[in-house]
Amino acid sequence: MYFHLMTRLTLFSCPPVNVFGPSKLLVGKKREVTASSRHYVDRLFDLDPQKVLQGVMLLYLLQQETSSTELRTECAVVLGSLAMGTENNVKSLLDCHIIPALLQGLLSPDLKFIEACLRCLRTIFISPVTPEDLLYTDATVISHLMALLSRSRYTQEYICQIFSHCCKLQHWHSCGFKSLPQPLLCANGPDHQTILFNHGAVQNIAHLLVSTSYKVRMQALKCFSVLAFENPQVSMTLVNVSVDGELLPQIFVKMLQRDKPIEMQLTSAKCLTSMCRAGAIRTDDSCIVLKTLPCLVRMCSKERLLEERVEGAETLAYLIETDVELQRIASITDHLIVMLADYFKYPSSVSAITDIKRLDHDLKHAHELRQAAFKLYASLGANDEDIRKKIIETENMMDRIVNGLSESSIKVRLAAVRCLHSLSRSVQQLRTSFQDHAVWKPLMKVLQNAPNEILVVASSTLCNLLLEFSPSKEPILESGAIELLCSLTQSENLALRVNGIWALMNMAFQAEQKIKSDILRGLSTEQLFQLLSDSDVNVLMKTLGLLRNLLSTRPHIDHIMSTHGKQIMQAVTLILEGEHNIEVKEQTLCILANIADGTTAKELIMTNDDILQKIKYYMSHSNAKLQLAAMFCISNLIWNEEEGSQERQDKLRDMGIVDILHKLSQSSDPNLCDKAKTALQQYLA
């Protein structure tokens, strides 16, 4: 491995001038660069790029086993210091394949050299420019790192830190809140959590939670917080592990007590939150309700640092996101809803800040605070109408959301849309606050040009704003929403297809004929068939729901069937013949029942023997829902008061429909029985 590495080093292009930045070199409190390596260090800051490259190469060459251990250790320290500089420093070191060289150094028997290599690796891996997958390219590396955990408190601290920075999720949870590091795709094979878990991370790291070293305890805790995140396997294991006779959840609870450092409280709260969300701890467990949730609410208070308030709010948002009772408890804990309003007051007015560093700090965290507040408000208001009302009545809340929709930060925009979506589930707020602030305008603007993750939530919100009781429905229609929504139905993104067709379905409900015609024109017959043959059942169900809403009220039914009847009947036939679930077939039969209610449209059924046979078949089906839907079709076809009813009754009697009706009139199902008797009365009238 070594000679291969050395050969490759000479092939790399030269880094840019001054790549390693300032001319001071920091190598830690207790270590200094001795004269023996001063020559090579000086080259790293030479204005001649060739000399810079030579200096880097020489530092690598000093990793050779022929060099003294002391010199090699010093090189690792120097490299670690360089990695603490700019991101360009780290990029240049990565380009020179520093990671394989340092990993090779871990095979040394010398503990001081191993610690120096691990310290440097830690510094490199915590840089945002370092790909996490570099730790997993060699299957033996993780095993070796696990073995090194027992060597010293420094190996424990650095290895846990490396693991926690190199453990990313493989999947993306589109609706959840990420209070932990954002997931990246693993190159191939199992994700990082699984690899570490399978190498015994839980067993090897658990005992470090009771280490005498605070740094070791803290890094072990951070490691568990990322290992358990959205991982039921790890979480279920953690809940049953004990150290010195104490279960891990009990250890985590002790770590979030008020007398512990804030960083420890927050991280242990994250561990318990992840375990709760993964189902390893019940949401009504006292360690969640009485310990974790109150701790996270405390983190949102003014007394905490801005970064702590961000982390506390995001973790709390994730904890309560799917649980109604936790949302209610959080909403009445320490005036949380009012407390969050303070998150929007940064940066403070310039005149009030004399310290320029403070202003810079506030500016840096201002958008993170707004993002965290929007996320937490979204979770709080996800289900309860009273909580939503309290949120909206909070100081300037609707204005803040509207402003958030046009922020430059994508993360803030996404969080603001999530908050708006959560509040849009309220009928009362749709009729009042949403209308008063014309929320639909900035929402439509967001939908014009946004990344998919924002589009998904924004289009979900639009679905709610298009419900029949929403005053926003009319102006949204006038602003060109049909074209926008029809384009969403063609998206490769499943959630966008579902939302596009869902919004059109809501739009078509009790709409005037012109709107229905515009929807059909915008979709096109070809696209309608595409949606009806979509592999996802949600898309299919919403498309059938759209058709059902389009085919309501007789004049509309007759008009639409006169222009699109052939294609719609063809689609209905395909679905009834296909391998679909009960709900899909029931919805399709309901569409036929609507068509049968038309004045002229019903002839498209009566002249289609194939469809009539299918209706007859479903009248005798084993599922009562399908039987009932088929009977609605028959009732509408034979209704006495309508022209041509006698001929239709005669044809259906000849098909054996009356015999089936007599049989169903004896059914034990009261709905079927009543419907059959009502239909038979049409024959007797």
Side-chain angles (χ1 to χ4, degrees):
M1 178 181 175
Y2 240 91
F3 293 108
H4 176 58
L5 176 68
M6 292 308 115
T7 332
R8 291 176 69 187
L9 276 172
T10 58
L11 302 176
F12 290 119
S13 60
C14 172
V17 179
N18 287 334
V19 71
F20 288 111
S23 57
K24 274 192 176 179
L25 186 67
L26 301 173
V27 292
K29 292 179 182 175
K30 295 184 180 178
R31 299 197 57 98
E32 295 178 357
V33 180
T34 59
S36 59
S37 61
R38 184 74 252 173
H39 168 70
Y40 302 119
V41 174
D42 287 342
R43 285 174 180 266
L44 294 170
F45 306 107
D46 200 295
L47 291 176
D48 181 351
Q50 286 299 330
K51 287 185 180 177
V52 175
L53 180 61
Q54 188 182 3
V56 175
M57 288 167 61
L58 285 169
L59 281 171
Y60 275 110
L61 290 167
L62 289 172
Q63 303 291 310
Q64 290 184 95
E65 292 176 15
T66 52
S67 302
S68 70
T69 303
E70 187 180 359
L71 185 58
R72 294 170 73 202
T73 302
E74 200 166 86
C75 280
V77 173
V78 171
L79 289 167
S81 296
L82 293 170
M84 286 179 190
T86 65
E87 289 182 1
N88 279 339
N89 291 20
V90 179
K91 285 178 185 174
S92 297
L93 291 170
L94 289 172
D95 287 344
C96 292
H97 291 259
I98 188 173
I99 289 177
L102 290 169
L103 291 174
Q104 183 83 10
L106 299 182
L107 299 173
S108 165
D110 187 271
L111 182 58
K112 291 294 179 191
F113 180 50
I114 289 171
E115 289 173 351
C117 288
L118 284 172
R119 192 184 303 114
C120 185
L121 279 167
R122 179 273 315 268
T123 306
I124 287 167
F125 274 119
I126 64 176
S127 168
V129 302
T130 307
E132 296 84 5
D133 286 333
L134 290 176
L135 186 68
Y136 303 92
T137 49
D138 185 335
T140 62
V141 168
I142 304 299
S143 300
H144 189 60
L145 288 171
M146 292 293 177
L148 290 174
L149 275 169
S150 60
R151 294 293 298 274
S152 74
R153 71 181 182 88
Y154 294 111
T155 64
Q156 291 167 350
E157 178 191 338
Y158 303 146
I159 290 170
C160 284
Q161 205 169 355
I162 289 167
F163 285 162
S164 59
H165 279 278
C166 294
C167 184
K168 305 296 182 191
L169 288 175
Q170 190 168 10
H171 64 283
W172 172 254
H173 170 46
S174 63
C175 294
F177 299 111
K178 299 303 181 197
S179 54
L180 298 174
Q182 297 292 348
L184 296 172
L185 285 176
C186 193
N188 288 297
D191 58 52
H192 302 159
Q193 288 175 323
T194 305
I195 294 169
L196 293 173
F197 179 81
N198 289 343
H199 279 85
V202 173
Q203 293 74 15
N204 283 301
I205 295 170
H207 72 280
L208 303 183
L209 290 169
V210 294
S211 166
T212 54
S213 163
Y214 171 77
K215 287 185 177 179
V216 171
R217 291 200 305 278
M218 200 57 237
Q219 293 308 327
L221 192 58
K222 286 182 177 177
C223 202
F224 280 135
S225 78
V226 292
L227 275 173
F229 185 56
E230 293 204 330
N231 194 311
Q233 183 186 33
V234 172
S235 295
M236 293 294 184
T237 304
L238 285 179
V239 85
N240 293 312
V241 170
S242 62
V243 178
D244 294 347
E246 200 167 23
L247 288 169
L248 286 195
Q250 295 171 316
I251 294 174
F252 293 149
V253 167
K254 282 185 176 178
M255 288 177 152
L256 54 72
Q257 289 173 351
R258 290 171 184 260
D259 61 337
K260 296 293 187 289
I262 295 299
E263 153 184 66
M264 182 171 276
Q265 289 184 48
L266 255 176
T267 313
S268 54
K270 277 187 175 184
C271 290
L272 290 162
T273 293
S274 293
M275 292 165 75
C276 179
R277 282 299 304 267
I281 300 175
R282 288 168 55 100
T283 55
D284 59 357
D285 191 296
S286 62
C287 77
I288 297 298
V289 178
L290 302 179
K291 300 293 183 180
T292 309
L293 188 148
C295 170
L296 290 170
V297 173
R298 283 202 308 274
M299 295 302 143
C300 299
S301 71
K302 278 185 179 182
E303 286 70 44
R304 301 271 52 88
L305 298 173
L306 298 188
E307 43 269 67
E308 292 163 358
R309 297 175 77 184
V310 168
E311 204 166 0
E314 293 211 335
T315 308
L316 182 56
Y318 180 57
L319 173 65
I320 68 173
E321 185 184 3
T322 58
D323 191 88
V324 184
E325 195 52 37
L326 288 181
Q327 289 159 12
R328 287 178 182 148
I329 294 167
S331 72
I332 56 170
T333 303
D334 293 351
H335 307 287
L336 177 63
I337 291 174
V338 176
M339 194 194 299
L340 282 177
D342 189 65
Y343 278 48
F344 296 95
K345 296 175 183 176
Y346 293 87
S348 309
S349 61
V350 179
S351 59
I353 299 179
T354 52
D355 184 355
I356 196 69
K357 284 186 179 177
R358 160 87 187 282
L359 176 60
D360 186 55
H361 179 263
D362 283 11
L363 283 167
K364 181 184 174 186
H365 290 285
H367 76 275
E368 292 176 1
L369 284 161
R370 289 195 295 277
Q371 178 192 346
F374 282 138
K375 282 183 179 181
L376 186 43
Y377 276 137
S379 283
L380 285 163
N383 294 286
D384 190 282
E385 187 67 26
D386 290 336
I387 298 174
R388 291 188 196 117
K389 189 171 184 290
K390 285 179 187 172
I391 292 170
I392 285 174
E393 288 173 354
T394 304
E395 182 185 355
N396 302 325
M397 191 60 205
M398 292 307 292
D399 289 333
R400 282 167 176 159
I401 294 173
V402 168
N403 291 337
L405 295 176
S406 56
E407 284 222 18
S408 57
S409 163
I410 287 180
K411 289 182 177 180
V412 176
R413 286 210 308 276
L414 176 59
V417 174
R418 282 196 192 288
C419 185
L420 189 66
H421 178 239
S422 182
L423 299 175
S424 74
R425 294 177 180 142
S426 163
V427 175
Q428 180 62 30
Q429 300 311 327
L430 282 175
R431 285 177 169 157
T432 55
S433 302
F434 276 55
Q435 183 64 8
D436 296 343
H437 292 81
V439 168
W440 66 270
K441 286 183 182 177
L443 185 66
M444 287 297 290
K445 195 174 178 183
V446 167
L447 282 160
Q448 301 300 327
N449 183 24
N452 276 2
E453 59 181 331
I454 291 181
L455 275 179
V456 168
V457 190
S459 54
S460 288
T461 311
L462 192 65
C463 288
N464 292 345
L465 266 65
L466 285 167
L467 290 166
E468 78 277 10
F469 49 74
S470 168
S472 304
K473 183 174 181 177
E474 201 64 38
I476 289 172
L477 280 168
E478 291 167 4
S479 69
I482 291 176
E483 186 182 349
L484 170 72
L485 295 170
C486 288
S487 69
L488 287 183
T489 68
Q490 299 176 36
S491 172
E492 290 182 11
N493 183 294
L494 172 60
L496 287 179
R497 287 204 306 282
V498 170
N499 288 348
I501 202 71
W502 195 338
L504 288 170
M505 182 185 83
N506 286 353
M507 189 183 281
F509 183 75
Q510 295 182 351
E512 57 188 58
Q513 190 172 299
K514 182 187 180 302
I515 291 168
K516 293 181 177 181
S517 298
D518 287 347
I519 290 172
L520 277 169
R521 197 178 303 113
L523 266 184
S524 80
T525 308
E526 185 184 348
Q527 179 59 11
L528 195 61
F529 269 93
Q530 193 75 35
L531 291 165
L532 288 170
S533 57
D534 199 289
S535 58
D536 184 80
V537 71
N538 286 323
V539 173
L540 178 54
M541 282 295 284
K542 292 296 178 287
T543 308
L544 291 170
L546 169 63
L547 271 177
R548 194 172 166 183
N549 285 352
L550 290 171
L551 295 165
S552 62
T553 73
R554 283 184 181 172
H556 297 178
I557 294 167
D558 290 334
H559 175 76
I560 289 169
M561 292 307 288
S562 69
T563 54
H564 295 81
K566 184 182 175 185
Q567 295 91 335
I568 289 172
M569 294 302 287
Q570 190 181 341
V572 165
T573 305
L574 285 171
I575 291 168
L576 290 177
E577 286 177 350
E579 293 292 322
H580 295 291
N581 65 32
I582 298 296
E583 286 72 23
V584 167
K585 296 205 170 183
E586 181 191 16
Q587 188 82 304
T588 308
L589 287 166
C590 288
I591 289 169
L592 273 180
N594 283 15
I595 295 169
D597 192 41
T599 305
T600 57
K602 55 168 52 80
E603 287 308 308
L604 287 164
I605 296 176
M606 290 306 301
T607 55
N608 189 325
D609 289 342
D610 186 24
I611 286 287
L612 288 173
Q613 288 297 333
K614 283 179 171 53
I615 294 171
K616 179 184 175 183
Y617 165 76
Y618 284 109
M619 285 178 74
S620 304
H621 198 275
S622 58
N623 185 279
K625 284 183 178 180
L626 297 183
Q627 286 179 286
L628 201 58
M631 291 237 289
F632 273 110
C633 297
I634 295 299
S635 292
N636 285 347
L637 290 172
I638 64 174
W639 203 255
N640 254 325
E641 297 167 8
E642 293 166 13
E643 190 180 340
S645 60
Q646 189 61 53
E647 291 84 352
R648 291 192 291 275
Q649 286 181 10
D650 292 345
K651 180 170 183 176
L652 293 171
R653 181 188 284 110
D654 293 344
M655 284 178 61
I657 296 294
V658 174
D659 295 336
I660 299 173
L661 287 173
H662 277 296
K663 190 178 175 184
L664 289 171
S665 68
Q666 307 300 315
S667 171
S668 58
D669 185 308
N671 288 330
L672 283 176
C673 179
D674 290 348
K675 197 67 186 170
K677 286 177 179 176
T678 304
L680 283 169
Q681 283 170 4
Q682 298 303 308
Y683 275 93
L684 300 172

